[in-house]
Amino acid sequence: MDDLAADPSHPRYESLLKRHILENAAKKGMLAGSALIAHGRGEAYDYLIGEQTIETAMNATKHALYQLKMAKHPVISVNGNTVALVGEDLMKLASLLDCPIEVNIFYRTPERMSALLNHLDEIKQRLDLDVEVLGASPDTRIPGLEGPRAKCCQSGIFLSDVILVPLEDGDRCEALVAMGKTVIVVDLNPLSRSSKMGSITIVDEISRVAKNLISMFGEQEEILEHPFDNEKNLRRSLNHINQSLTEASNFPV
Amino acid sequence: MDDLAADPSHPRYESLLKRHILENAAKKGMLAGSALIAHGRGEAYDYLIGEQTIETAMNATKHALYQLKMAKHPVISVNGNTVALVGEDLMKLASLLDCPIEVNIFYRTPERMSALLNHLDEIKQRLDLDVEVLGASPDTRIPGLEGPRAKCCQSGIFLSDVILVPLEDGDRCEALVAMGKTVIVVDLNPLSRSSKMGSITIVDEISRVAKNLISMFGEQEEILEHPFDNEKNLRRSLNHINQSLTEASNFPV
């Protein structure tokens, strides 16, 4: 491990730990070549929101949890970075929601799929969770997408009415929305196509989101305004970043 | 190559091509584990400035070129990402400046050093450039730094009065400034420690910077205000990002 990442008191401990986890996942063949670059983009946006769950993100997270709990067929869709960073917490969340988790990756190869499924299976055994892990045998397609990225499971993503898709690409997000699903996006860039396309977009780091969803799970439901105004919430997230930058531009040199 | 990166008319061609180059460089052992993540952070900031050379960056680039041309002992310090992305253009620039180029990396291993030196040597032979490539045999240290990252060459970084250090870490940047050098930083994050520590900070993508330095090299010198006010220029760069975000927050959904 990087010498800096071994010390929990280091101000960048969390960030360095995540890098370490992803570098290891890359070595195990769990990630596509572009995964580390995507994580770096996230790091930059996380830096701009102060590496914290901002108010608009918490607002979106509450609505997301409400939708997931009210759903007939909720599902959690995961890719390489998500499995590596928060596989364990998302398996716990799937267990709480009593819903399947489906591995669904952009660059699908048998090797990567198997590395990811094995990783989740190891978590399932270790934590003794009764969660269905899908993705090994896709039996249908998401309409409107081409190639291997369209593949999915009938009993998972295809059937779902509410889907949590952290770190998803814009095309797939759009295709899922077009299927009439409530699509919950987790994306640190409030300007990304996924963020704009999602039904509920949580502009926050996925580890924090997973922890928030789990810790709020048993709490009394608040009465939430409906429908959720994603555009308004995204604008408020952008305003937060803007304000931080304005404050930061008064930095001492 | 990623299917998207094969088509120069694709709106993200430049960006995808860079990813492809870096993924290849990683396979060749030229990059540290954190290099792709660092590139991703750069991508995010580049997105915020509109993937273009903004006015403040051009201003800093002009001052940087002036300082490099006026220097007694200019030097170009390069790391893994820099060699992979712009090794060729920086070798050309070194040839124009008649100065050495020194490979100087944070996580120094014999394997990475050799992969990087070989890459530059291949460029040198191919373009028939008379450029001294340093780094293989560091013979002194940068004061104030510890471990392998302090190593450098007497006739390169140590002796230099003006140093171009693209994508440098904050500690080393600070140590070089403390040595009394004019330190030219290239960093897409105007809030990074390197950006704040540098004598002249160019908030721009290194490929564009290298091309600008080369294309302006033979032009008549403008009369430049001195000394360069780096703090003011950084604030103006931040203002640019702020303004882009404000405009972006009026996006249609």
Side-chain angles (χ1 to χ4, degrees):
Chain A
M1 189 185 290
D2 181 324
D3 51 344
L4 297 172
D7 171 12
S9 71
H10 190 281
R12 306 219 48 74
Y13 175 71
E14 284 292 334
S15 170
L16 293 168
L17 191 63
K18 277 182 207 122
R19 285 184 204 175
H20 175 70
I21 289 169
L22 286 176
E23 286 169 26
N24 268 358
K27 281 179 202 149
K28 285 185 197 163
M30 287 165 61
L31 308 184
S34 54
L36 294 178
I37 295 177
H39 180 71
R41 285 199 299 279
E43 276 194 0
Y45 292 111
D46 202 14
Y47 176 84
L48 293 177
I49 61 169
E51 293 173 333
Q52 60 182 328
T53 299
I54 61 176
E55 190 199 333
T56 52
M58 187 51 90
N59 183 33
T61 305
K62 282 179 186 166
H63 278 83
L65 183 59
Y66 182 83
Q67 290 295 334
L68 285 166
K69 286 171 87 167
M70 294 300 122
K72 269 193 185 164
H73 299 290
V75 71
I76 301 174
S77 169
V78 290
N79 66 7
N81 281 8
T82 313
V83 169
L85 288 173
V86 283
E88 195 166 310
D89 277 346
L90 291 183
M91 284 290 284
K92 287 181 192 166
L93 180 65
S95 172
L96 288 168
L97 287 165
D98 193 18
C99 81
I101 191 162
E102 181 168 343
V103 176
N104 200 290
I105 56 181
F106 195 91
Y107 298 108
R108 182 185 284 259
T109 66
E111 295 75 22
R112 278 191 66 212
M113 284 304 291
S114 142
L116 293 169
L117 291 163
N118 288 345
H119 188 83
L120 290 177
D121 204 51
E122 182 276 319
I123 293 168
K124 181 175 165 168
Q125 304 302 326
R126 179 160 46 81
L127 302 183
D128 192 23
L129 297 172
D130 184 23
V131 170
E132 193 181 9
V133 178
L134 298 170
S137 313
D139 50 5
T140 187
R141 303 177 66 82
I142 300 169
L145 291 180
E146 284 177 17
R149 70 191 71 165
K151 290 185 184 177
C152 74
C153 294
Q154 174 71 40
S155 61
I157 288 175
F158 197 88
L159 179 71
S160 67
D161 53 346
V162 179
I163 178 168
L164 175 64
V165 280
L167 324 181
E168 189 52 274
D169 72 280
D171 282 350
R172 194 146 58 190
C173 186
E174 185 169 5
L176 293 168
V177 170
M179 288 175 84
K181 302 181 191 304
T182 296
V183 178
I184 300 164
V185 168
V186 179
D187 196 320
L188 279 157
N189 176 5
L191 293 167
S192 77
R193 270 192 67 226
S194 297
S195 286
K196 294 179 192 176
M197 291 305 308
S199 318
I200 300 176
T201 300
I202 305 172
V203 179
D204 201 1
E205 195 277 320
I206 181 61
S207 314
R208 294 196 299 267
V209 174
K211 294 221 177 306
N212 288 337
L213 288 169
I214 290 170
S215 71
M216 292 193 299
F217 196 89
E219 289 174 16
Q220 184 73 28
E221 300 301 339
E222 292 175 49
I223 296 156
L224 300 170
E225 31 140 4
H226 282 284
F228 179 71
D229 188 340
N230 203 43
E231 183 180 344
K232 184 175 156 195
N233 203 59
L234 279 176
R235 283 224 182 85
R236 289 179 55 212
S237 304
L238 258 174
N239 286 343
H240 179 97
I241 293 176
N242 248 342
Q243 211 169 326
S244 305
L245 282 174
T246 306
E247 282 161 25
S249 68
N250 297 313
F251 58 80
V253 174
Chain B
M1 193 186 288
D2 181 326
D3 51 344
L4 296 172
D7 172 13
S9 71
H10 190 283
R12 305 220 49 75
Y13 174 72
E14 284 290 336
S15 169
L16 294 168
L17 190 63
K18 277 182 207 124
R19 284 184 205 175
H20 176 70
I21 289 169
L22 286 176
E23 286 168 26
N24 268 358
K27 281 179 202 149
K28 285 186 197 164
M30 286 164 61
L31 308 184
S34 54
L36 295 178
I37 295 177
H39 181 71
R41 284 198 300 278
E43 276 194 359
Y45 292 112
D46 201 15
Y47 176 84
L48 293 178
I49 60 169
E51 294 172 334
Q52 59 181 327
T53 299
I54 61 176
E55 190 199 333
T56 51
M58 187 52 91
N59 183 33
T61 305
K62 282 179 187 167
H63 277 84
L65 183 58
Y66 182 83
Q67 290 294 332
L68 285 167
K69 286 170 86 167
M70 294 299 122
K72 268 194 187 164
H73 300 290
V75 71
I76 300 174
S77 170
V78 291
N79 66 6
N81 281 9
T82 312
V83 169
L85 289 172
V86 282
E88 194 166 310
D89 277 346
L90 291 184
M91 284 289 284
K92 287 181 193 165
L93 181 64
S95 172
L96 288 169
L97 286 166
D98 191 20
C99 81
I101 192 162
E102 180 166 343
V103 177
N104 200 290
I105 56 181
F106 196 91
Y107 298 108
R108 183 186 284 260
T109 66
E111 295 75 21
R112 279 191 65 215
M113 284 302 293
S114 142
L116 294 168
L117 290 164
N118 287 345
H119 188 83
L120 290 179
D121 204 50
E122 182 276 319
I123 293 169
K124 180 175 165 168
Q125 304 302 324
R126 180 161 45 82
L127 302 183
D128 192 22
L129 297 171
D130 182 24
V131 170
E132 192 181 12
V133 178
L134 297 170
S137 314
D139 50 4
T140 187
R141 302 177 67 80
I142 299 168
L145 291 180
E146 283 176 20
R149 70 191 68 165
K151 290 184 184 178
C152 74
C153 294
Q154 175 72 39
S155 61
I157 289 175
F158 197 88
L159 179 70
S160 68
D161 52 347
V162 179
I163 178 168
L164 175 64
V165 281
L167 323 182
E168 188 52 276
D169 72 279
D171 282 350
R172 193 146 57 189
C173 185
E174 186 170 5
L176 293 168
V177 170
M179 287 174 84
K181 302 180 191 306
T182 296
V183 177
I184 300 165
V185 167
V186 179
D187 195 319
L188 279 156
N189 175 5
L191 292 168
S192 77
R193 271 192 66 225
S194 297
S195 287
K196 294 180 192 175
M197 291 304 309
S199 319
I200 300 176
T201 300
I202 305 172
V203 178
D204 200 1
E205 195 277 319
I206 181 62
S207 315
R208 294 197 299 268
V209 174
K211 293 223 177 305
N212 287 336
L213 287 169
I214 289 169
S215 71
M216 294 193 298
F217 195 88
E219 289 173 17
Q220 184 74 27
E221 300 301 339
E222 293 176 48
I223 296 156
L224 300 169
E225 32 141 3
H226 281 283
F228 180 71
D229 189 340
N230 202 43
E231 183 179 344
K232 184 175 157 197
N233 203 59
L234 279 176
R235 283 223 182 84
R236 289 179 55 213
S237 304
L238 258 174
N239 285 346
H240 179 97
I241 294 176
N242 247 342
Q243 212 170 325
S244 304
L245 282 174
T246 305
E247 282 161 24
S249 68
N250 297 315
F251 60 81
V253 174

Coordinates of all heavy atoms in Angstrom, one line a residue, chain A residues 49 54-57 59-60 173 185-204 228-242, chain B residues 245-246 248-253:
Chain A
I49 N -17.1 19.7 -4.3 CA -18.2 19.8 -3.4 C -17.7 19.6 -1.9 O -18.5 19.5 -1.0 CB -19.3 18.8 -3.7 CG1 -18.8 17.3 -3.6 CG2 -20.0 19.1 -5.0 CD1 -20.0 16.3 -3.7
I54 N -23.5 17.1 0.4 CA -24.1 18.4 0.5 C -25.7 18.2 0.6 O -26.2 17.2 0.4 CB -23.8 19.3 -0.7 CG1 -24.2 18.7 -2.0 CG2 -22.2 19.5 -0.7 CD1 -23.9 19.6 -3.2
E55 N -26.3 19.3 1.0 CA -27.7 19.3 1.4 C -28.6 18.7 0.2 O -29.5 17.9 0.4 CB -28.2 20.7 1.8 CG -29.6 20.7 2.4 CD -30.2 22.2 2.3 OE1 -29.4 23.1 2.3 OE2 -31.4 22.3 2.2
T56 N -28.3 19.2 -1.0 CA -29.1 18.7 -2.1 C -28.9 17.2 -2.4 O -29.8 16.5 -2.8 CB -28.7 19.5 -3.4 OG1 -27.3 19.4 -3.6 CG2 -29.1 20.9 -3.4
A57 N -27.7 16.7 -2.1 CA -27.4 15.3 -2.2 C -28.2 14.5 -1.2 O -28.8 13.4 -1.5 CB -26.0 15.0 -2.1
N59 N -31.0 15.4 0.2 CA -32.4 15.5 -0.3 C -32.7 14.4 -1.3 O -33.7 13.7 -1.2 CB -32.6 16.9 -0.8 CG -34.0 17.2 -1.3 OD1 -35.0 16.7 -0.7 ND2 -34.2 18.0 -2.3
A60 N -31.8 14.3 -2.3 CA -32.0 13.3 -3.4 C -31.9 11.9 -2.8 O -32.6 11.0 -3.2 CB -31.0 13.5 -4.5
C173 N -28.4 5.2 -19.2 CA -29.3 5.9 -18.3 C -30.6 6.4 -19.1 O -31.7 6.2 -18.7 CB -28.6 7.1 -17.8 SG -29.6 8.0 -16.5
V185 N -29.7 7.9 -10.2 CA -28.3 8.1 -10.7 C -27.5 8.6 -9.5 O -27.9 9.4 -8.7 CB -28.3 9.1 -11.8 CG1 -26.9 9.5 -12.2 CG2 -29.0 8.5 -13.1
V186 N -26.3 8.1 -9.4 CA -25.3 8.6 -8.5 C -24.1 9.1 -9.3 O -23.5 8.3 -10.0 CB -24.8 7.6 -7.4 CG1 -23.7 8.2 -6.5 CG2 -25.9 7.0 -6.6
D187 N -23.9 10.4 -9.4 CA -22.9 11.0 -10.2 C -22.3 12.3 -9.6 O -23.1 13.1 -9.3 CB -23.5 11.2 -11.6 CG -22.4 11.4 -12.7 OD1 -21.4 12.1 -12.5 OD2 -22.7 10.9 -13.8
L188 N -21.0 12.4 -9.5 CA -20.5 13.6 -8.9 C -20.5 14.8 -9.8 O -20.3 15.9 -9.4 CB -19.0 13.3 -8.4 CG -19.0 12.6 -7.1 CD1 -17.7 11.8 -6.9 CD2 -19.2 13.6 -5.9
N189 N -20.7 14.6 -11.1 CA -20.7 15.7 -12.0 C -22.2 16.0 -12.3 O -22.9 15.3 -13.0 CB -20.0 15.3 -13.3 CG -20.1 16.4 -14.4 OD1 -20.7 17.4 -14.2 ND2 -19.6 16.1 -15.6
P190 N -22.6 17.2 -11.8 CA -24.1 17.5 -12.0 C -24.4 17.9 -13.4 O -25.6 18.1 -13.8 CB -24.2 18.7 -11.1 CG -22.9 19.3 -10.8 CD -21.9 18.2 -11.0
L191 N -23.4 18.0 -14.3 CA -23.6 18.4 -15.7 C -23.5 17.2 -16.6 O -23.7 17.4 -17.8 CB -22.5 19.5 -16.1 CG -22.6 20.8 -15.4 CD1 -21.4 21.6 -15.7 CD2 -23.9 21.6 -15.9
S192 N -23.3 16.0 -16.1 CA -23.2 14.9 -17.0 C -24.5 14.5 -17.6 O -25.6 14.9 -17.1 CB -22.6 13.7 -16.2 OG -23.6 13.1 -15.4
R193 N -24.5 13.8 -18.7 CA -25.7 13.4 -19.3 C -26.5 12.5 -18.4 O -27.8 12.6 -18.3 CB -25.5 12.7 -20.7 CG -25.4 13.6 -21.8 CD -25.4 12.8 -23.2 NE -26.7 12.1 -23.4 CZ -26.8 10.9 -23.8 NH1 -25.7 10.1 -24.0 NH2 -28.0 10.3 -23.9
S194 N -25.9 11.6 -17.7 CA -26.6 10.7 -16.8 C -27.3 11.6 -15.7 O -28.4 11.3 -15.4 CB -25.6 9.8 -16.0 OG -25.0 9.0 -16.9
S195 N -26.6 12.6 -15.2 CA -27.2 13.4 -14.1 C -28.4 14.1 -14.6 O -29.5 14.2 -14.0 CB -26.2 14.5 -13.7 OG -25.2 13.9 -12.9
K196 N -28.4 14.6 -15.9 CA -29.5 15.3 -16.4 C -30.6 14.3 -16.8 O -31.8 14.7 -16.8 CB -29.1 16.1 -17.7 CG -28.1 17.2 -17.3 CD -27.7 18.0 -18.6 CE -26.5 18.9 -18.4 NZ -26.1 19.5 -19.6
M197 N -30.3 13.1 -17.2 CA -31.3 12.2 -17.7 C -32.0 11.5 -16.5 O -33.2 11.1 -16.7 CB -30.6 11.1 -18.5 CG -30.1 11.5 -19.9 SD -31.3 12.3 -20.9 CE -32.7 11.1 -20.9
G198 N -31.4 11.3 -15.4 CA -31.9 10.6 -14.3 C -33.2 11.1 -13.7 O -33.5 12.3 -13.9
S199 N -34.0 10.2 -13.1 CA -35.2 10.6 -12.4 C -34.8 11.3 -11.1 O -35.4 12.3 -10.7 CB -36.1 9.4 -12.1 OG -36.2 8.6 -13.2
I200 N -33.9 10.7 -10.4 CA -33.4 11.3 -9.1 C -31.9 11.2 -9.2 O -31.3 10.1 -9.3 CB -33.9 10.5 -7.9 CG1 -35.4 10.5 -7.8 CG2 -33.3 11.0 -6.6 CD1 -36.0 9.7 -6.7
T201 N -31.2 12.3 -9.2 CA -29.7 12.3 -9.3 C -29.1 12.7 -8.0 O -29.4 13.8 -7.5 CB -29.2 13.2 -10.4 OG1 -29.8 12.8 -11.7 CG2 -27.7 13.2 -10.5
I202 N -28.3 11.8 -7.5 CA -27.6 12.1 -6.2 C -26.2 12.5 -6.6 O -25.3 11.7 -7.0 CB -27.5 10.8 -5.3 CG1 -29.0 10.3 -5.1 CG2 -26.8 11.1 -4.0 CD1 -29.0 8.9 -4.3
V203 N -25.9 13.8 -6.4 CA -24.5 14.3 -6.7 C -23.7 14.1 -5.5 O -23.5 15.0 -4.6 CB -24.6 15.8 -7.1 CG1 -23.2 16.4 -7.4 CG2 -25.4 16.0 -8.4
D204 N -23.1 12.9 -5.3 CA -22.4 12.6 -4.1 C -21.5 11.4 -4.5 O -21.7 10.7 -5.5 CB -23.3 12.2 -3.0 CG -22.7 12.3 -1.6 OD1 -21.5 12.7 -1.5 OD2 -23.4 12.0 -0.6
F228 N -40.4 14.5 -7.3 CA -39.0 15.1 -7.1 C -38.6 15.9 -8.3 O -38.7 15.5 -9.4 CB -38.0 13.9 -6.9 CG -36.6 14.4 -6.6 CD1 -36.3 15.0 -5.4 CD2 -35.6 14.2 -7.6 CE1 -35.0 15.4 -5.2 CE2 -34.3 14.6 -7.3 CZ -34.0 15.3 -6.1
D229 N -38.2 17.2 -8.0 CA -37.8 18.1 -9.1 C -36.3 17.9 -9.3 O -35.5 18.6 -8.6 CB -38.2 19.5 -8.7 CG -38.0 20.4 -9.9 OD1 -37.2 20.1 -10.8 OD2 -38.6 21.5 -9.9
N230 N -35.9 17.0 -10.2 CA -34.5 16.7 -10.3 C -33.7 17.9 -10.9 O -32.6 18.2 -10.5 CB -34.3 15.5 -11.3 CG -32.9 14.8 -11.1 OD1 -32.5 14.7 -9.9 ND2 -32.3 14.5 -12.2
E231 N -34.3 18.6 -11.9 CA -33.7 19.8 -12.5 C -33.3 20.8 -11.4 O -32.2 21.3 -11.4 CB -34.6 20.3 -13.6 CG -33.9 21.5 -14.3 CD -34.8 22.0 -15.4 OE1 -35.8 21.4 -15.8 OE2 -34.5 23.1 -15.9
K232 N -34.3 21.1 -10.6 CA -34.1 22.1 -9.6 C -33.0 21.7 -8.6 O -32.2 22.5 -8.2 CB -35.5 22.3 -8.8 CG -35.4 23.4 -7.8 CD -36.9 23.6 -7.2 CE -36.8 24.2 -5.8 NZ -38.1 24.0 -5.1
N233 N -33.1 20.4 -8.2 CA -32.1 19.9 -7.3 C -30.7 20.0 -7.9 O -29.7 20.3 -7.2 CB -32.4 18.5 -6.9 CG -31.8 18.1 -5.5 OD1 -32.1 18.8 -4.5 ND2 -31.0 17.1 -5.5
L234 N -30.5 19.7 -9.2 CA -29.2 19.7 -9.9 C -28.7 21.2 -9.9 O -27.6 21.5 -9.7 CB -29.3 19.2 -11.3 CG -29.3 17.7 -11.4 CD1 -29.5 17.3 -12.9 CD2 -28.0 17.1 -10.9
R235 N -29.6 22.1 -10.2 CA -29.2 23.5 -10.3 C -28.7 24.0 -8.9 O -27.7 24.7 -8.8 CB -30.4 24.4 -10.6 CG -30.8 24.4 -12.1 CD -31.1 25.8 -12.6 NE -31.5 25.6 -14.0 CZ -32.7 25.3 -14.4 NH1 -33.7 25.2 -13.6 NH2 -32.9 25.2 -15.7
R236 N -29.4 23.5 -7.8 CA -28.9 23.9 -6.5 C -27.6 23.2 -6.2 O -26.7 23.8 -5.5 CB -30.0 23.5 -5.5 CG -31.2 24.3 -5.5 CD -32.3 23.9 -4.5 NE -31.7 23.9 -3.2 CZ -32.1 23.0 -2.2 NH1 -33.0 22.1 -2.4 NH2 -31.5 23.1 -1.0
S237 N -27.3 22.0 -6.7 CA -26.0 21.4 -6.5 C -24.9 22.2 -7.2 O -23.8 22.5 -6.7 CB -26.0 20.0 -7.1 OG -27.0 19.2 -6.5
L238 N -25.2 22.6 -8.5 CA -24.3 23.5 -9.2 C -24.0 24.8 -8.5 O -22.9 25.3 -8.4 CB -24.9 23.8 -10.6 CG -24.3 23.0 -11.7 CD1 -25.1 23.3 -13.0 CD2 -22.8 23.2 -11.9
N239 N -25.1 25.4 -7.9 CA -24.9 26.6 -7.2 C -23.9 26.4 -6.0 O -23.1 27.3 -5.7 CB -26.2 27.1 -6.7 CG -27.1 27.7 -7.8 OD1 -26.6 28.0 -8.8 ND2 -28.4 27.9 -7.5
H240 N -24.0 25.3 -5.4 CA -23.1 25.0 -4.3 C -21.7 25.0 -4.7 O -20.8 25.6 -4.1 CB -23.5 23.6 -3.6 CG -22.6 23.2 -2.5 ND1 -22.9 23.5 -1.2 CD2 -21.3 22.7 -2.5 CE1 -21.9 23.1 -0.4 NE2 -21.0 22.6 -1.2
I241 N -21.4 24.3 -5.9 CA -20.1 24.3 -6.4 C -19.6 25.7 -6.7 O -18.5 26.1 -6.4 CB -20.0 23.3 -7.6 CG1 -20.3 21.9 -7.2 CG2 -18.7 23.5 -8.3 CD1 -20.4 20.9 -8.4
N242 N -20.5 26.4 -7.4 CA -20.1 27.8 -7.7 C -19.7 28.6 -6.5 O -18.8 29.4 -6.6 CB -21.4 28.4 -8.4 CG -21.1 28.7 -9.8 OD1 -20.0 28.7 -10.3 ND2 -22.2 28.9 -10.6
Chain B
L245 N -19.8 27.6 -15.2 CA -20.7 26.8 -14.4 C -22.0 27.6 -14.2 O -23.1 27.0 -14.3 CB -20.1 26.5 -13.0 CG -19.1 25.4 -12.9 CD1 -18.5 25.3 -11.6 CD2 -19.8 24.1 -13.3
T246 N -21.9 28.9 -14.1 CA -23.2 29.7 -13.9 C -24.0 29.6 -15.2 O -25.2 29.3 -15.2 CB -22.8 31.1 -13.6 OG1 -22.0 31.2 -12.5 CG2 -24.1 31.9 -13.4
A248 N -23.8 27.1 -17.3 CA -24.2 25.7 -17.5 C -25.4 25.4 -16.6 O -26.2 24.5 -16.9 CB -23.0 24.8 -17.1
S249 N -25.6 26.1 -15.5 CA -26.7 25.8 -14.6 C -28.0 26.2 -15.2 O -29.1 25.9 -14.7 CB -26.5 26.5 -13.2 OG -26.6 27.8 -13.3
N250 N -28.0 26.9 -16.4 CA -29.2 27.2 -17.1 C -29.5 26.1 -18.1 O -30.1 26.3 -19.1 CB -29.1 28.5 -17.8 CG -29.0 29.6 -16.8 OD1 -29.7 29.6 -15.8 ND2 -28.1 30.5 -17.0
F251 N -29.0 24.9 -17.9 CA -29.1 23.8 -18.9 C -30.6 23.4 -19.0 O -31.3 23.4 -18.1 CB -28.2 22.6 -18.5 CG -28.5 22.0 -17.2 CD1 -29.5 21.1 -17.0 CD2 -27.7 22.4 -16.1 CE1 -29.8 20.6 -15.8 CE2 -28.0 21.8 -14.9 CZ -29.0 20.9 -14.7
P252 N -30.9 22.9 -20.2 CA -32.2 22.3 -20.4 C -32.2 20.8 -20.0 O -31.1 20.2 -20.1 CB -32.4 22.4 -21.9 CG -31.0 22.3 -22.5 CD -30.1 22.9 -21.5
V253 N -33.2 20.3 -19.4 CA -33.3 18.9 -19.0 C -34.2 18.1 -19.9 O -35.2 18.7 -20.3 CB -33.6 18.8 -17.5 CG1 -33.8 17.3 -17.2 CG2 -32.6 19.4 -16.7

